[in-house]
Amino acid sequence: MAPSVKDVAAMAGVSIGTVSNVLNRPTKVSTDTRERVERAIRELGFIPSAPARNLRTKHARVLGLIVPDIGNPFFTEVARGVEDAALEAGYGVMLCNTDQRADREDQYLRLLESQRVGGILITPARRSMKPLDRLIAGGTAIALLDNSSPSRQACSVYVDDAMGGTIAATHLQDLGHSSIMWLAGPSDIPQVAEREAGILRFANEHDMTVIRIEAEQMSAEAGDRAMGAALSNKLSATALICANDLLALGAVRALTRAGLRVPQDISIVGYDDIDFAANAAVPLTSIRQPKYELGFAAAQLILQECESSEPHAHRQIRFEPQLVIRSSTSAPHT
Amino acid sequence: MAPSVKDVAAMAGVSIGTVSNVLNRPTKVSTDTRERVERAIRELGFIPSAPARNLRTKHARVLGLIVPDIGNPFFTEVARGVEDAALEAGYGVMLCNTDQRADREDQYLRLLESQRVGGILITPARRSMKPLDRLIAGGTAIALLDNSSPSRQACSVYVDDAMGGTIAATHLQDLGHSSIMWLAGPSDIPQVAEREAGILRFANEHDMTVIRIEAEQMSAEAGDRAMGAALSNKLSATALICANDLLALGAVRALTRAGLRVPQDISIVGYDDIDFAANAAVPLTSIRQPKYELGFAAAQLILQECESSEPHAHRQIRFEPQLVIRSSTSAPHT
DNA sequence: AGGTATGCTTGAAACGTTTCAAGTCTAGTG
DNA sequence: CACTAGACTTGAAACGTTTCAAGCATACCT
């Protein structure tokens, strides 16, 4: 049905090896042969079969992108960065949402392995790298996304989360807060743990007290529930840092329901600076992460590793977060 | 490196044909042979090569998903539906954002064609189906996503947009509004045109006046700009319907900046009911679309077409939108 | 003229599956 | 006991590329 190199070769009156050369090493072919072949390709509408190509070359020009939840605008933006870098290189991106479930992650890892993808970008759903080792051994490039664990096995790209936590705490201290609440996400998420470490270290050094509460997911609903629970336990503080903006949005909802005003009664700092943070009920002060750049850089790194045959030195790229001040923070009301 | 059927066959002491049978038609194989083969597969950690398989079977167990912008929460949810349905069937999903650009759409179509994907789900960036025809001729299943154009060539899944427009206008009339503004998106987006048609028909039948303004994109920024421009042109009405929630969020921002209050000075109806609509500065009244279901149904339809060899009858699936009332609409202030 | 380097082209093997006609066994039948 | 039907297994071809050793001209050098 679809034309193959054979058809092109026949029409151009050359061997299939030559057609392949035109496709892959055009300089090795004389100008007029190449033109003849190119014309045949155009007339036939020939599009090379990736499966056939991959069968030989061992790896598909496809990247796997494994994230907890593309519904989280943070990852949506990361994905855009990945996609743009991939498309530039003629690669496709396979989208894999794990919902933080290890079984789903495994399932996708198997799928990607069977597809023989060239590289995988992953925000691991768990600490262990076990299942990745076989992939790496099999020659698949891996990059850890938004994860700083310095592995000798893979590249990684991340935003300095401890620094982000410190920036948030510093901002609140500057405003005059000395007692803050920290709305964490599930404690097994490394990014959250880092942010927490940054906050606690700063608080410790500056005599701030921190009340820790935890949401069971990184979603607005979970934030609403967790904050609601904290309020009914009479927990209070003049300021709140949330592990991400979604949580913050939920927390605002719970606070508003309880009759508290933001920032008059309580200041709130979010994390990620997703687009909606600016349009929220109270425009959110947040810690911005270079999301698109993160994805773009990760994809470039991994593409580099896929393409070059030379021994590749794994790299770590670190980005810095940045404070964005909006209306959800102010000096504590006295 | 990676083990192949050959290795499995050797270890299990059978021919490779038998291994293939175990994989694809287990019932044709005697129980103990199958067990032996399965053990070998497990011990070797054998994972079949999709490229090799696809080379024979002509089509990859992969779906292409072409959308304008995964950053739009509407499509994010649709994507989740698609992904879940695909994963259930062991298919992967290749994510393709077009940004409504025809050149990007073409590029992706070529990429997907070369990957020999089994099916493509597309929200076309333009009216023409031209470039899709070759794909269809080549045996690739196509489904139109969120697009009602009744094609004899492809399945389609959509939400009744005219009905959505009518629902929005009806709601405003019920509240007592008789002069409304309609913030449209680019006029070449079919969904927008349909919603508009629904609004205009209803307005026409009920003596409402409609002022039409247009944003050059379906984003919050574009909504902000378009609304700002309308305000400086002294356009006004007691109510506003927006082509989607993103636009509505932007419009709210522009209105707020101009000192107008929602809904006291102007009521607003959004479209899509994205999660953030509920958390917005003013919780948004909106027209809900079954986003996840839309994606899920589309993927199921196309998977069905991919898998079965029988002549496939293309189907259209229609969903109905639904009004969700929040705080952004009220009776006009007199 | 003989020799060698250079540029281009070719043909065939290999990649890892699926498919299917043909083959081997086994058990059942008359 | 000879036959046949059925159950299972095999071997080889085919899918569409890439790769590479080998071949063939042509041009250059001495």
Side-chain angles (χ1 to χ4, degrees), chain A residues 14-15 17-18 29-30 33 55-56 58:
Chain A
V14 297
S15 74
T18 300
V29 179
S30 76
T33 317
L55 181 55
R56 279 290 312 202
K58 305 294 182 189

PDB file of all heavy atoms in Angstrom, chain A residues 14-15 17-18 29-30 33 55-56 58, chain C residues 8-17:
ATOM      1  N   VAL A  14      17.553   3.483  -9.366  1.00  0.00           N
ATOM      2  CA  VAL A  14      18.764   3.266  -8.565  1.00  0.00           C
ATOM      3  C   VAL A  14      18.523   2.087  -7.624  1.00  0.00           C
ATOM      4  O   VAL A  14      17.437   1.522  -7.601  1.00  0.00           O
ATOM      5  CB  VAL A  14      19.122   4.506  -7.732  1.00  0.00           C
ATOM      6  CG1 VAL A  14      19.438   5.700  -8.611  1.00  0.00           C
ATOM      7  CG2 VAL A  14      17.996   4.842  -6.767  1.00  0.00           C
ATOM      8  N   SER A  15      19.518   1.752  -6.845  1.00  0.00           N
ATOM      9  CA  SER A  15      19.352   0.661  -5.884  1.00  0.00           C
ATOM     10  C   SER A  15      18.752   1.219  -4.601  1.00  0.00           C
ATOM     11  O   SER A  15      18.795   2.422  -4.350  1.00  0.00           O
ATOM     12  CB  SER A  15      20.688   0.018  -5.580  1.00  0.00           C
ATOM     13  OG  SER A  15      21.433   0.882  -4.743  1.00  0.00           O
ATOM     14  N   GLY A  17      19.878   0.844  -1.712  1.00  0.00           N
ATOM     15  CA  GLY A  17      20.946   1.378  -0.870  1.00  0.00           C
ATOM     16  C   GLY A  17      21.141   2.863  -1.133  1.00  0.00           C
ATOM     17  O   GLY A  17      21.345   3.660  -0.208  1.00  0.00           O
ATOM     18  N   THR A  18      21.032   3.225  -2.391  1.00  0.00           N
ATOM     19  CA  THR A  18      21.199   4.633  -2.743  1.00  0.00           C
ATOM     20  C   THR A  18      20.066   5.487  -2.172  1.00  0.00           C
ATOM     21  O   THR A  18      20.297   6.589  -1.682  1.00  0.00           O
ATOM     22  CB  THR A  18      21.253   4.788  -4.273  1.00  0.00           C
ATOM     23  OG1 THR A  18      22.366   4.038  -4.740  1.00  0.00           O
ATOM     24  CG2 THR A  18      21.416   6.238  -4.660  1.00  0.00           C
ATOM     25  N   VAL A  29      26.010  11.165  -1.976  1.00  0.00           N
ATOM     26  CA  VAL A  29      25.328  10.856  -3.223  1.00  0.00           C
ATOM     27  C   VAL A  29      25.551  11.982  -4.226  1.00  0.00           C
ATOM     28  O   VAL A  29      25.559  13.153  -3.860  1.00  0.00           O
ATOM     29  CB  VAL A  29      23.820  10.677  -2.963  1.00  0.00           C
ATOM     30  CG1 VAL A  29      23.083  10.389  -4.242  1.00  0.00           C
ATOM     31  CG2 VAL A  29      23.603   9.571  -1.947  1.00  0.00           C
ATOM     32  N   SER A  30      25.742  11.641  -5.491  1.00  0.00           N
ATOM     33  CA  SER A  30      25.974  12.687  -6.501  1.00  0.00           C
ATOM     34  C   SER A  30      24.708  13.525  -6.667  1.00  0.00           C
ATOM     35  O   SER A  30      23.592  13.049  -6.472  1.00  0.00           O
ATOM     36  CB  SER A  30      26.348  12.058  -7.830  1.00  0.00           C
ATOM     37  OG  SER A  30      25.219  11.522  -8.451  1.00  0.00           O
ATOM     38  N   THR A  33      21.834  12.204  -9.033  1.00  0.00           N
ATOM     39  CA  THR A  33      21.147  11.024  -8.510  1.00  0.00           C
ATOM     40  C   THR A  33      20.211  11.451  -7.388  1.00  0.00           C
ATOM     41  O   THR A  33      19.051  11.055  -7.326  1.00  0.00           O
ATOM     42  CB  THR A  33      22.140  10.015  -7.897  1.00  0.00           C
ATOM     43  OG1 THR A  33      23.265   9.899  -8.752  1.00  0.00           O
ATOM     44  CG2 THR A  33      21.490   8.682  -7.706  1.00  0.00           C
ATOM     45  N   LEU A  55      13.754  -1.024  13.705  1.00  0.00           N
ATOM     46  CA  LEU A  55      14.130  -2.421  13.838  1.00  0.00           C
ATOM     47  C   LEU A  55      15.648  -2.537  13.663  1.00  0.00           C
ATOM     48  O   LEU A  55      16.320  -3.250  14.399  1.00  0.00           O
ATOM     49  CB  LEU A  55      13.404  -3.239  12.770  1.00  0.00           C
ATOM     50  CG  LEU A  55      13.665  -4.733  12.774  1.00  0.00           C
ATOM     51  CD1 LEU A  55      13.360  -5.308  14.153  1.00  0.00           C
ATOM     52  CD2 LEU A  55      12.819  -5.408  11.728  1.00  0.00           C
ATOM     53  N   ARG A  56      16.151  -1.805  12.713  1.00  0.00           N
ATOM     54  CA  ARG A  56      17.598  -1.826  12.492  1.00  0.00           C
ATOM     55  C   ARG A  56      18.350  -1.030  13.549  1.00  0.00           C
ATOM     56  O   ARG A  56      19.347  -1.468  14.100  1.00  0.00           O
ATOM     57  CB  ARG A  56      17.941  -1.214  11.124  1.00  0.00           C
ATOM     58  CG  ARG A  56      17.761  -2.146   9.975  1.00  0.00           C
ATOM     59  CD  ARG A  56      18.780  -3.243   9.981  1.00  0.00           C
ATOM     60  NE  ARG A  56      20.146  -2.750  10.183  1.00  0.00           N
ATOM     61  CZ  ARG A  56      21.220  -3.401   9.825  1.00  0.00           C
ATOM     62  NH1 ARG A  56      21.115  -4.571   9.216  1.00  0.00           N
ATOM     63  NH2 ARG A  56      22.407  -2.907  10.065  1.00  0.00           N
ATOM     64  N   LYS A  58      17.651  -0.084  16.441  1.00  0.00           N
ATOM     65  CA  LYS A  58      17.454  -0.444  17.857  1.00  0.00           C
ATOM     66  C   LYS A  58      16.625   0.551  18.652  1.00  0.00           C
ATOM     67  O   LYS A  58      16.040   0.201  19.655  1.00  0.00           O
ATOM     68  CB  LYS A  58      18.797  -0.621  18.591  1.00  0.00           C
ATOM     69  CG  LYS A  58      19.716  -1.612  17.931  1.00  0.00           C
ATOM     70  CD  LYS A  58      19.126  -2.986  18.001  1.00  0.00           C
ATOM     71  CE  LYS A  58      20.092  -3.988  17.385  1.00  0.00           C
ATOM     72  NZ  LYS A  58      19.454  -5.294  17.247  1.00  0.00           N
TER      73      LYS A  58
ATOM     74  P    DC C   8      30.696  12.162  -5.268  1.00  0.00           P
ATOM     75  OP1  DC C   8      30.059  13.225  -6.078  1.00  0.00           O
ATOM     76  OP2  DC C   8      30.806  12.299  -3.796  1.00  0.00           O
ATOM     77  O5'  DC C   8      29.971  10.788  -5.601  1.00  0.00           O
ATOM     78  C5'  DC C   8      29.838  10.432  -6.984  1.00  0.00           C
ATOM     79  C4'  DC C   8      29.391   9.002  -7.101  1.00  0.00           C
ATOM     80  O4'  DC C   8      30.358   8.113  -6.527  1.00  0.00           O
ATOM     81  C3'  DC C   8      28.067   8.662  -6.428  1.00  0.00           C
ATOM     82  O3'  DC C   8      27.119   8.506  -7.474  1.00  0.00           O
ATOM     83  C2'  DC C   8      28.335   7.350  -5.689  1.00  0.00           C
ATOM     84  C1'  DC C   8      29.698   6.920  -6.220  1.00  0.00           C
ATOM     85  N1   DC C   8      30.559   6.185  -5.262  1.00  0.00           N
ATOM     86  C2   DC C   8      30.869   4.861  -5.544  1.00  0.00           C
ATOM     87  O2   DC C   8      30.405   4.340  -6.558  1.00  0.00           O
ATOM     88  N3   DC C   8      31.687   4.189  -4.685  1.00  0.00           N
ATOM     89  C4   DC C   8      32.176   4.794  -3.600  1.00  0.00           C
ATOM     90  N4   DC C   8      32.973   4.103  -2.797  1.00  0.00           N
ATOM     91  C5   DC C   8      31.864   6.150  -3.302  1.00  0.00           C
ATOM     92  C6   DC C   8      31.060   6.810  -4.158  1.00  0.00           C
ATOM     93  P    DT C   9      25.649   7.943  -7.141  1.00  0.00           P
ATOM     94  OP1  DT C   9      24.790   8.249  -8.303  1.00  0.00           O
ATOM     95  OP2  DT C   9      25.274   8.350  -5.771  1.00  0.00           O
ATOM     96  O5'  DT C   9      25.904   6.378  -7.143  1.00  0.00           O
ATOM     97  C5'  DT C   9      26.181   5.729  -8.389  1.00  0.00           C
ATOM     98  C4'  DT C   9      26.187   4.238  -8.176  1.00  0.00           C
ATOM     99  O4'  DT C   9      27.212   3.915  -7.210  1.00  0.00           O
ATOM    100  C3'  DT C   9      24.886   3.679  -7.626  1.00  0.00           C
ATOM    101  O3'  DT C   9      24.360   2.795  -8.617  1.00  0.00           O
ATOM    102  C2'  DT C   9      25.256   2.984  -6.333  1.00  0.00           C
ATOM    103  C1'  DT C   9      26.776   2.817  -6.451  1.00  0.00           C
ATOM    104  N1   DT C   9      27.522   2.900  -5.166  1.00  0.00           N
ATOM    105  C2   DT C   9      28.241   1.806  -4.760  1.00  0.00           C
ATOM    106  O2   DT C   9      28.297   0.757  -5.369  1.00  0.00           O
ATOM    107  N3   DT C   9      28.930   1.984  -3.576  1.00  0.00           N
ATOM    108  C4   DT C   9      28.957   3.122  -2.792  1.00  0.00           C
ATOM    109  O4   DT C   9      29.623   3.163  -1.767  1.00  0.00           O
ATOM    110  C5   DT C   9      28.178   4.231  -3.279  1.00  0.00           C
ATOM    111  C7   DT C   9      28.131   5.511  -2.516  1.00  0.00           C
ATOM    112  C6   DT C   9      27.496   4.082  -4.427  1.00  0.00           C
ATOM    113  P    DT C  10      23.012   1.999  -8.314  1.00  0.00           P
ATOM    114  OP1  DT C  10      22.382   1.673  -9.608  1.00  0.00           O
ATOM    115  OP2  DT C  10      22.262   2.687  -7.262  1.00  0.00           O
ATOM    116  O5'  DT C  10      23.623   0.664  -7.714  1.00  0.00           O
ATOM    117  C5'  DT C  10      24.474  -0.135  -8.526  1.00  0.00           C
ATOM    118  C4'  DT C  10      24.933  -1.350  -7.757  1.00  0.00           C
ATOM    119  O4'  DT C  10      25.680  -0.922  -6.605  1.00  0.00           O
ATOM    120  C3'  DT C  10      23.793  -2.222  -7.247  1.00  0.00           C
ATOM    121  O3'  DT C  10      23.947  -3.508  -7.800  1.00  0.00           O
ATOM    122  C2'  DT C  10      23.935  -2.210  -5.728  1.00  0.00           C
ATOM    123  C1'  DT C  10      25.406  -1.816  -5.545  1.00  0.00           C
ATOM    124  N1   DT C  10      25.697  -1.061  -4.307  1.00  0.00           N
ATOM    125  C2   DT C  10      26.542  -1.618  -3.383  1.00  0.00           C
ATOM    126  O2   DT C  10      27.040  -2.718  -3.515  1.00  0.00           O
ATOM    127  N3   DT C  10      26.783  -0.840  -2.280  1.00  0.00           N
ATOM    128  C4   DT C  10      26.268   0.427  -2.016  1.00  0.00           C
ATOM    129  O4   DT C  10      26.569   1.024  -0.997  1.00  0.00           O
ATOM    130  C5   DT C  10      25.389   0.949  -3.015  1.00  0.00           C
ATOM    131  C7   DT C  10      24.777   2.287  -2.847  1.00  0.00           C
ATOM    132  C6   DT C  10      25.135   0.197  -4.108  1.00  0.00           C
ATOM    133  P    DG C  11      22.687  -4.409  -8.105  1.00  0.00           P
ATOM    134  OP1  DG C  11      22.864  -4.988  -9.451  1.00  0.00           O
ATOM    135  OP2  DG C  11      21.442  -3.717  -7.722  1.00  0.00           O
ATOM    136  O5'  DG C  11      22.989  -5.552  -7.038  1.00  0.00           O
ATOM    137  C5'  DG C  11      24.317  -6.069  -6.949  1.00  0.00           C
ATOM    138  C4'  DG C  11      24.450  -6.843  -5.668  1.00  0.00           C
ATOM    139  O4'  DG C  11      24.734  -5.936  -4.563  1.00  0.00           O
ATOM    140  C3'  DG C  11      23.199  -7.628  -5.276  1.00  0.00           C
ATOM    141  O3'  DG C  11      23.627  -8.939  -4.973  1.00  0.00           O
ATOM    142  C2'  DG C  11      22.629  -6.868  -4.088  1.00  0.00           C
ATOM    143  C1'  DG C  11      23.846  -6.183  -3.486  1.00  0.00           C
ATOM    144  N9   DG C  11      23.601  -4.884  -2.877  1.00  0.00           N
ATOM    145  C8   DG C  11      22.692  -3.935  -3.252  1.00  0.00           C
ATOM    146  N7   DG C  11      22.732  -2.853  -2.526  1.00  0.00           N
ATOM    147  C5   DG C  11      23.728  -3.095  -1.593  1.00  0.00           C
ATOM    148  C6   DG C  11      24.223  -2.283  -0.550  1.00  0.00           C
ATOM    149  O6   DG C  11      23.875  -1.148  -0.223  1.00  0.00           O
ATOM    150  N1   DG C  11      25.247  -2.908   0.161  1.00  0.00           N
ATOM    151  C2   DG C  11      25.725  -4.162  -0.128  1.00  0.00           C
ATOM    152  N2   DG C  11      26.715  -4.595   0.656  1.00  0.00           N
ATOM    153  N3   DG C  11      25.284  -4.946  -1.104  1.00  0.00           N
ATOM    154  C4   DG C  11      24.271  -4.347  -1.798  1.00  0.00           C
ATOM    155  P    DA C  12      22.636 -10.069  -4.567  1.00  0.00           P
ATOM    156  OP1  DA C  12      23.077 -11.285  -5.276  1.00  0.00           O
ATOM    157  OP2  DA C  12      21.223  -9.610  -4.676  1.00  0.00           O
ATOM    158  O5'  DA C  12      23.010 -10.240  -3.030  1.00  0.00           O
ATOM    159  C5'  DA C  12      24.366 -10.053  -2.616  1.00  0.00           C
ATOM    160  C4'  DA C  12      24.436 -10.123  -1.103  1.00  0.00           C
ATOM    161  O4'  DA C  12      24.242  -8.802  -0.538  1.00  0.00           O
ATOM    162  C3'  DA C  12      23.355 -10.987  -0.467  1.00  0.00           C
ATOM    163  O3'  DA C  12      23.906 -11.509   0.721  1.00  0.00           O
ATOM    164  C2'  DA C  12      22.241  -9.988  -0.186  1.00  0.00           C
ATOM    165  C1'  DA C  12      23.088  -8.814   0.298  1.00  0.00           C
ATOM    166  N9   DA C  12      22.448  -7.508   0.179  1.00  0.00           N
ATOM    167  C8   DA C  12      21.485  -7.107  -0.697  1.00  0.00           C
ATOM    168  N7   DA C  12      21.122  -5.855  -0.541  1.00  0.00           N
ATOM    169  C5   DA C  12      21.902  -5.406   0.508  1.00  0.00           C
ATOM    170  C6   DA C  12      22.007  -4.177   1.156  1.00  0.00           C
ATOM    171  N6   DA C  12      21.280  -3.111   0.832  1.00  0.00           N
ATOM    172  N1   DA C  12      22.891  -4.071   2.175  1.00  0.00           N
ATOM    173  C2   DA C  12      23.628  -5.146   2.499  1.00  0.00           C
ATOM    174  N3   DA C  12      23.640  -6.359   1.951  1.00  0.00           N
ATOM    175  C4   DA C  12      22.733  -6.412   0.961  1.00  0.00           C
ATOM    176  P    DA C  13      23.210 -12.739   1.466  1.00  0.00           P
ATOM    177  OP1  DA C  13      23.994 -13.942   1.091  1.00  0.00           O
ATOM    178  OP2  DA C  13      21.752 -12.707   1.247  1.00  0.00           O
ATOM    179  O5'  DA C  13      23.516 -12.427   3.001  1.00  0.00           O
ATOM    180  C5'  DA C  13      24.755 -11.829   3.366  1.00  0.00           C
ATOM    181  C4'  DA C  13      24.571 -10.991   4.610  1.00  0.00           C
ATOM    182  O4'  DA C  13      23.912  -9.745   4.279  1.00  0.00           O
ATOM    183  C3'  DA C  13      23.703 -11.659   5.672  1.00  0.00           C
ATOM    184  O3'  DA C  13      24.300 -11.418   6.929  1.00  0.00           O
ATOM    185  C2'  DA C  13      22.357 -10.954   5.527  1.00  0.00           C
ATOM    186  C1'  DA C  13      22.795  -9.553   5.129  1.00  0.00           C
ATOM    187  N9   DA C  13      21.816  -8.761   4.392  1.00  0.00           N
ATOM    188  C8   DA C  13      21.013  -9.153   3.362  1.00  0.00           C
ATOM    189  N7   DA C  13      20.249  -8.189   2.887  1.00  0.00           N
ATOM    190  C5   DA C  13      20.577  -7.093   3.656  1.00  0.00           C
ATOM    191  C6   DA C  13      20.116  -5.765   3.661  1.00  0.00           C
ATOM    192  N6   DA C  13      19.195  -5.288   2.823  1.00  0.00           N
ATOM    193  N1   DA C  13      20.662  -4.921   4.570  1.00  0.00           N
ATOM    194  C2   DA C  13      21.588  -5.402   5.419  1.00  0.00           C
ATOM    195  N3   DA C  13      22.105  -6.625   5.502  1.00  0.00           N
ATOM    196  C4   DA C  13      21.543  -7.428   4.591  1.00  0.00           C
ATOM    197  P    DA C  14      23.942 -12.318   8.187  1.00  0.00           P
ATOM    198  OP1  DA C  14      25.229 -12.668   8.820  1.00  0.00           O
ATOM    199  OP2  DA C  14      22.967 -13.358   7.776  1.00  0.00           O
ATOM    200  O5'  DA C  14      23.178 -11.283   9.129  1.00  0.00           O
ATOM    201  C5'  DA C  14      23.757 -10.020   9.386  1.00  0.00           C
ATOM    202  C4'  DA C  14      22.693  -9.098   9.912  1.00  0.00           C
ATOM    203  O4'  DA C  14      21.927  -8.572   8.798  1.00  0.00           O
ATOM    204  C3'  DA C  14      21.671  -9.777  10.841  1.00  0.00           C
ATOM    205  O3'  DA C  14      21.766  -9.177  12.118  1.00  0.00           O
ATOM    206  C2'  DA C  14      20.325  -9.520  10.194  1.00  0.00           C
ATOM    207  C1'  DA C  14      20.600  -8.379   9.228  1.00  0.00           C
ATOM    208  N9   DA C  14      19.760  -8.344   8.041  1.00  0.00           N
ATOM    209  C8   DA C  14      19.416  -9.380   7.218  1.00  0.00           C
ATOM    210  N7   DA C  14      18.631  -9.038   6.223  1.00  0.00           N
ATOM    211  C5   DA C  14      18.441  -7.681   6.414  1.00  0.00           C
ATOM    212  C6   DA C  14      17.703  -6.714   5.708  1.00  0.00           C
ATOM    213  N6   DA C  14      16.982  -6.996   4.613  1.00  0.00           N
ATOM    214  N1   DA C  14      17.731  -5.445   6.160  1.00  0.00           N
ATOM    215  C2   DA C  14      18.457  -5.166   7.261  1.00  0.00           C
ATOM    216  N3   DA C  14      19.196  -5.992   8.007  1.00  0.00           N
ATOM    217  C4   DA C  14      19.137  -7.236   7.519  1.00  0.00           C
ATOM    218  P    DC C  15      21.136  -9.927  13.360  1.00  0.00           P
ATOM    219  OP1  DC C  15      22.180 -10.030  14.380  1.00  0.00           O
ATOM    220  OP2  DC C  15      20.390 -11.118  12.905  1.00  0.00           O
ATOM    221  O5'  DC C  15      20.033  -8.896  13.854  1.00  0.00           O
ATOM    222  C5'  DC C  15      20.287  -7.507  13.935  1.00  0.00           C
ATOM    223  C4'  DC C  15      18.972  -6.791  13.909  1.00  0.00           C
ATOM    224  O4'  DC C  15      18.565  -6.645  12.534  1.00  0.00           O
ATOM    225  C3'  DC C  15      17.846  -7.605  14.550  1.00  0.00           C
ATOM    226  O3'  DC C  15      17.711  -7.217  15.903  1.00  0.00           O
ATOM    227  C2'  DC C  15      16.613  -7.244  13.734  1.00  0.00           C
ATOM    228  C1'  DC C  15      17.159  -6.529  12.493  1.00  0.00           C
ATOM    229  N1   DC C  15      16.713  -7.077  11.192  1.00  0.00           N
ATOM    230  C2   DC C  15      16.226  -6.197  10.225  1.00  0.00           C
ATOM    231  O2   DC C  15      16.195  -4.992  10.475  1.00  0.00           O
ATOM    232  N3   DC C  15      15.793  -6.687   9.031  1.00  0.00           N
ATOM    233  C4   DC C  15      15.860  -8.015   8.800  1.00  0.00           C
ATOM    234  N4   DC C  15      15.431  -8.448   7.615  1.00  0.00           N
ATOM    235  C5   DC C  15      16.367  -8.915   9.765  1.00  0.00           C
ATOM    236  C6   DC C  15      16.776  -8.411  10.939  1.00  0.00           C
ATOM    237  P    DG C  16      17.507  -8.375  17.010  1.00  0.00           P
ATOM    238  OP1  DG C  16      17.882  -7.804  18.308  1.00  0.00           O
ATOM    239  OP2  DG C  16      18.113  -9.640  16.546  1.00  0.00           O
ATOM    240  O5'  DG C  16      15.928  -8.585  17.000  1.00  0.00           O
ATOM    241  C5'  DG C  16      15.106  -7.465  17.261  1.00  0.00           C
ATOM    242  C4'  DG C  16      13.680  -7.866  17.041  1.00  0.00           C
ATOM    243  O4'  DG C  16      13.458  -8.080  15.636  1.00  0.00           O
ATOM    244  C3'  DG C  16      13.280  -9.164  17.732  1.00  0.00           C
ATOM    245  O3'  DG C  16      11.996  -8.957  18.296  1.00  0.00           O
ATOM    246  C2'  DG C  16      13.244 -10.172  16.603  1.00  0.00           C
ATOM    247  C1'  DG C  16      12.809  -9.317  15.440  1.00  0.00           C
ATOM    248  N9   DG C  16      13.209  -9.779  14.123  1.00  0.00           N
ATOM    249  C8   DG C  16      14.359 -10.463  13.791  1.00  0.00           C
ATOM    250  N7   DG C  16      14.451 -10.726  12.510  1.00  0.00           N
ATOM    251  C5   DG C  16      13.299 -10.186  11.964  1.00  0.00           C
ATOM    252  C6   DG C  16      12.852 -10.162  10.615  1.00  0.00           C
ATOM    253  O6   DG C  16      13.397 -10.621   9.613  1.00  0.00           O
ATOM    254  N1   DG C  16      11.626  -9.508  10.497  1.00  0.00           N
ATOM    255  C2   DG C  16      10.925  -8.958  11.555  1.00  0.00           C
ATOM    256  N2   DG C  16       9.774  -8.363  11.243  1.00  0.00           N
ATOM    257  N3   DG C  16      11.333  -8.968  12.808  1.00  0.00           N
ATOM    258  C4   DG C  16      12.528  -9.600  12.945  1.00  0.00           C
ATOM    259  P    DT C  17      11.318 -10.013  19.268  1.00  0.00           P
ATOM    260  OP1  DT C  17      11.456  -9.551  20.616  1.00  0.00           O
ATOM    261  OP2  DT C  17      11.765 -11.389  18.896  1.00  0.00           O
ATOM    262  O5'  DT C  17       9.782  -9.816  18.848  1.00  0.00           O
ATOM    263  C5'  DT C  17       9.124 -10.796  18.082  1.00  0.00           C
ATOM    264  C4'  DT C  17       8.389 -10.124  16.956  1.00  0.00           C
ATOM    265  O4'  DT C  17       9.281 -10.020  15.853  1.00  0.00           O
ATOM    266  C3'  DT C  17       7.199 -10.914  16.480  1.00  0.00           C
ATOM    267  O3'  DT C  17       6.025 -10.367  17.065  1.00  0.00           O
ATOM    268  C2'  DT C  17       7.189 -10.679  14.990  1.00  0.00           C
ATOM    269  C1'  DT C  17       8.603 -10.248  14.630  1.00  0.00           C
ATOM    270  N1   DT C  17       9.391 -11.235  13.853  1.00  0.00           N
ATOM    271  C2   DT C  17       9.096 -11.418  12.537  1.00  0.00           C
ATOM    272  O2   DT C  17       8.193 -10.845  11.963  1.00  0.00           O
ATOM    273  N3   DT C  17       9.891 -12.310  11.877  1.00  0.00           N
ATOM    274  C4   DT C  17      10.951 -13.017  12.416  1.00  0.00           C
ATOM    275  O4   DT C  17      11.608 -13.773  11.708  1.00  0.00           O
ATOM    276  C5   DT C  17      11.202 -12.790  13.813  1.00  0.00           C
ATOM    277  C7   DT C  17      12.323 -13.517  14.486  1.00  0.00           C
ATOM    278  C6   DT C  17      10.425 -11.924  14.465  1.00  0.00           C
TER     279       DT C  17
END
